Amino acid sequence: MAKRIKKGDQVIVVAGKDKGKKGDVVRVLGDKVVVSNINIVKRHTKPNPQANQPGGVIEREAPIHVSNVMPFNPASGKGERIGTKVLEDGRRIRVFRSSGEAVDA
């Protein structure tokens, strides 16, 4: 399932406290993804003078499970499932299952 979502994809959250929000995938971590401005948590950090890092409360994105997000199709305005299609030259591309149009440009 993680291969269907890649870094840079626009996704919509389908479950959890941020349900309905859209964002871009920043990182893929196995079966979890980090999405920009989604699942914001507060992290209390100590100051670290060696890394020139101040202490305090820092807000950052936490990973969200890949099953809780769907790739967003701008043509239909909804989250849709993704399949793969093999081209004549042997390359595999990701396509939306509803319309068959390619996800990647």
Side-chain angles (χ1 to χ4, degrees):
M1 188 182 267
K3 293 179 182 177
R4 297 181 184 161
I5 295 178
K6 294 183 179 180
K7 179 180 175 180
D9 285 352
Q10 190 174 19
V11 294
I12 187 166
V13 180
V14 295
K17 66 178 183 179
D18 293 320
K19 181 177 180 176
K21 292 183 181 178
K22 288 182 280 195
D24 293 325
V25 175
V26 178
R27 281 195 334 242
V28 177
L29 306 166
D31 61 347
K32 296 188 179 209
V33 292
V34 177
V35 183
S36 61
N37 298 324
I38 302 292
N39 200 19
I40 301 292
V41 295
K42 292 181 189 264
R43 176 98 170 114
H44 298 261
T45 59
K46 282 187 168 181
N48 186 351
Q50 293 174 338
N52 199 14
Q53 180 182 17
V57 180
I58 298 172
E59 289 189 348
R60 64 179 199 151
E61 297 107 357
I64 184 170
H65 197 269
V66 74
S67 66
N68 295 331
V69 297
M70 283 186 91
F72 181 73
N73 186 353
S76 67
K78 295 191 275 186
E80 294 187 8
R81 295 184 298 159
I82 281 189
T84 58
K85 184 178 181 181
V86 180
L87 298 177
E88 297 84 25
D89 58 358
R91 290 185 299 135
R92 288 181 181 265
I93 60 167
R94 297 181 302 153
V95 295
F96 288 112
R97 288 201 181 160
S98 63
S99 61
E101 64 185 58
V103 176
D104 305 318

